[in-house]
């Protein structure tokens, strides 16, 4: 079989090559930067944030697999060969993203930061909370990940709606689409969950203007933001301003404009902000590799690839 | 209509009487201790931890509604008139309990305490986590509350099993029943969720011996306990010992042997223990009152009451 090459930035190479060897011991595995061998033998690139120009020289490339959710780094490089880019839509990754979203919605709803603070103060404080259906959750980015999180939040009792670029029809969930319906979607959302891809159009979409359009009718009087999509979607200066002025009640941020988040960012220390280190939907090497291997085998046998990125759309 | 009397300990009386007045303005509402009026006019007692001997004098009592989940205080008073005791099984309360259970399982699974600690230290630490299906959750007490939480945890990807006194059959969930199957249930459970009622048999059931029987095969090497049932189920001295020796990895405790939890309890400050103030399944006055009112009307019209407690069983 044709060789495959791992081109990873910021990820542990060995955990990926080990996973692939475990699944297919005979696989010819190359790796960037020191183990690429003869480039013309490489048929598939398995990439995460590949550096510019690295894919350019692979003449017989048949497809690029993006091992994480998000293909912005690949699309940003104009020298990438004109082959299908496969976005891994993996059940495991979807489950993990929904865990993150459901957990953070619940932690805000049940005021876990207040409970943690009470515990530190050894304060017994049986305060009352609203029922879940008092909170309207809006999921911005309503593809596979958003719909799965939405269904789980609905099962937990929250009022869920989804917004996406193109109209989606999901049983029992109100959906909004396109710029024309964005303001109505924002106006009904007490908690905004952002799972958008990063494209030219979505850069800095989470800014002061968007936050001003969110609902003030929820139990906390001001909206809550959960961004588990991409850091470049948010304008952090605006987030900090809105948190300080109370226009934003609280936030959960897993992604940032620059990662790691700078030591002097006010987000680290805000009392109602959860900061995590881009861990919402961790890519598990073994399950992702199983998906990639299955697709490579099918493609080699003349079958189709799944979830091919539309470069014009950006995802 | 016959009068109703509220007999509440530690709860806000006004929020309950206001809710009932909102639903039925003509209701003849009495309240303990100062507004009971002529006792023989009272047909229904709406109680939460009624003091001993208070129910004794109500000669024309037709039923007692326990407004919270747990009837141990009522059953412990031998002077309570021999009338049906109704345990409120309320969808709202069930939803709230499942929120608590799902949130705490997720917080342990995703190591939220470690993430909080990293945030305080401004440490960027994208550590890997296991998939949900690597964790086996065992729910002890598998009635309405336990089954609802179990279904939601299963949807999130966890391996769920339930244990109850009498065998339950639930699609897709392994169930265990009675003392004979308890050890097998404990041996497969990485996270033990306790939702048992408090009876003579369950007092101090969560002790050193039980913890020793839990699984050590989960991703954390030692089991995790979530008690959202009753405080008297747990022997706190044993819990502290097991936490300190590592036999118990972590815990979420919403209930305690004595409430409020004593200021000098080591549970407040243990780095892997969540303490909350008996808030897991808050009783919402309006939704509970709606349930009670519906049952009173039906009973007055000759219909049956729902979820009557079996005093021998204790729940």
């Amino acid at each position: 079989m044709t060789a495959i090459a791992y081109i990873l930035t910021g990820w542990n190479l060995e955990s990926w090559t080990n996973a692939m060897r475990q699944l297919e011991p005979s696989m010819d595995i190359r790796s960037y930067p020191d183990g690429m061998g003869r480039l013309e033998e490489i048929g598939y690139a398995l990439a995460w944030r590949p550096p510019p120009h690295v894919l350019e020289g692979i003449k017989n490339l048949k497809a690029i697999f993006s091992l994480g959710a998000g293909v912005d780094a690949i699309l940003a490089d104009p020298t990438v060969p004109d082959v299908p880019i496969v976005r891994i839509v993996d059940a495991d990754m979807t489950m993990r993203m929904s865990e993150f979203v459901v957990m953070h919605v619940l932690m805000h709803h049940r005021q876990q930061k207040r409970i943690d603070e009470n515990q530190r103060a050894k304060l017994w404080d049986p305060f009352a909370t609203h029922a879940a259906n008092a909170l309207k959750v809006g999921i911005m980015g309503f593809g596979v990940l958003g719909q799965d999180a939405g269904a789980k939040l609905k099962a937990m009792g929250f009022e869920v709606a989804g917004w996406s670029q193109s109209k989606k029809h999901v049983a029992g969930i109100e959906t909004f689409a396109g710029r024309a319906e964005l303001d109505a979607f924002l106006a009904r959302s007490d908690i905004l969950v952002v799972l958008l891809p990063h494209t030219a159009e979505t850069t800095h979409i989470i800014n002061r203007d968007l936050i001003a359009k969110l609902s003030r009718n929820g139990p906390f009087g001001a909206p809550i933001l959960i961004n588990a999509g991409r850091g470049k979607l948010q304008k952090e200066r605006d987030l900090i301003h809105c948190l300080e002025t109370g226009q934003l009640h609280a936030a959960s941020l897993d992604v940032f404009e620059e990662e790691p988040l700078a030591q002097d960012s006010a987000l680290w220390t805000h009392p109602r902000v959860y900061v995590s280190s881009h861990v919402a939907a961790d890519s598990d090497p073994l399950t992702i590799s199983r998906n990639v291997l299955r697709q490579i085998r099918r493609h080699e046998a003349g079958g189709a690839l799944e979830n091919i990125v539309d470069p014009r759309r950006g995802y």
Side-chain angles (χ1 to χ4, degrees), chain A:
Chain A
M1 202 192 279
T2 176
I4 67 172
Y6 284 92
I7 303 159
L8 309 178
T9 302
W11 279 9
N12 181 283
L13 173 67
E14 207 171 311
S15 65
W16 286 91
T17 54
N18 286 348
M20 187 56 83
R21 281 211 181 83
Q22 187 182 327
L23 296 171
E24 179 51 271
S26 71
M27 181 69 86
D28 181 354
I29 298 175
R30 314 289 173 89
S31 59
Y32 179 83
D34 300 324
M36 293 291 271
R38 294 167 59 96
L39 294 186
E40 64 269 30
E41 294 167 359
I42 297 170
Y44 299 93
L46 283 57
W48 178 242
R49 296 199 201 150
H53 296 284
V54 170
L55 290 159
E56 187 180 9
I58 309 180
K59 302 299 174 208
N60 297 320
L61 199 63
K62 302 177 193 177
I64 301 164
F65 290 90
S66 174
L67 299 182
V71 293
D72 30 348
I74 300 170
L75 292 178
D77 178 3
T79 70
V80 167
D82 184 21
V83 297
I85 300 165
V86 176
R87 196 165 47 99
I88 295 298
V89 176
D90 183 81
D92 179 70
M93 202 192 285
T94 306
M95 297 289 275
R96 285 165 190 256
M97 182 58 90
S98 290
E99 288 172 13
F100 183 91
V101 171
V102 169
M103 180 175 78
H104 278 272
V105 169
L106 285 171
M107 289 196 300
H108 288 293
H109 164 52
R110 300 289 296 235
Q111 301 180 56
Q112 186 57 37
K113 278 208 181 269
R114 179 174 167 188
I115 293 173
D116 287 344
E117 208 174 289
N118 285 341
Q119 183 174 352
R120 279 192 293 274
K122 299 188 180 183
L123 177 67
W124 187 263
D125 175 23
F127 62 85
T129 52
H130 290 79
N133 63 14
L135 264 176
K136 292 186 164 65
V137 182
I139 303 179
M140 204 170 172
F142 211 55
V144 173
L145 295 180
Q147 291 179 34
D148 187 75
K152 285 168 180 169
L153 287 168
K154 192 177 144 71
M156 296 300 304
F158 297 97
E159 293 286 333
V160 179
W163 179 89
S164 46
Q165 200 55 56
S166 59
K167 187 77 176 174
K168 300 290 193 318
H169 297 278
V170 180
I173 294 186
E174 191 179 9
T175 57
F176 297 81
R179 286 279 158 178
E181 294 177 16
L182 182 56
D183 286 7
F185 164 78
L186 297 172
R188 56 73 67 199
S189 296
D190 304 318
I191 297 191
L192 182 69
V193 176
V194 184
L195 295 173
L196 290 169
H198 174 227
T199 67
E201 275 187 30
T202 62
T203 301
H204 284 175
I205 194 170
I206 313 170
N207 56 32
R208 211 185 280 212
D209 294 343
L210 179 138
I211 291 165
K213 292 175 180 170
L214 287 166
S215 160
R216 262 80 192 152
N217 304 320
F220 301 111
I224 293 167
L225 169 70
I226 298 174
N227 185 5
R230 279 282 174 270
K232 298 268 196 274
L233 302 173
Q234 73 202 12
K235 204 166 170 182
E236 282 163 26
R237 221 178 42 176
D238 283 12
L239 295 194
I240 291 164
H241 171 82
C242 291
L243 284 160
E244 282 172 355
T245 57
Q247 293 169 269
L248 196 58
H249 175 73
S252 294
L253 306 172
D254 186 53
V255 289
F256 302 91
E257 288 185 80
E258 297 294 337
E259 295 177 4
L261 178 61
Q263 287 291 308
D264 63 357
S265 170
L267 295 170
W268 284 111
T269 49
H270 191 282
R272 285 190 306 280
V273 173
Y274 284 103
V275 167
S276 52
S277 309
H278 203 148
V279 294
D282 201 20
S283 295
D284 180 56
L286 200 60
T287 51
I288 303 285
S289 298
R290 205 171 276 130
N291 181 315
V292 170
L293 184 61
R294 180 173 52 74
Q295 292 211 54
I296 288 177
R297 282 180 177 148
R298 199 195 308 151
H299 191 247
E300 290 288 297
L305 295 164
E306 295 161 9
N307 300 299
I308 296 175
V309 170
D310 176 350
R312 281 162 312 181
R313 209 174 50 167
Y315 58 93

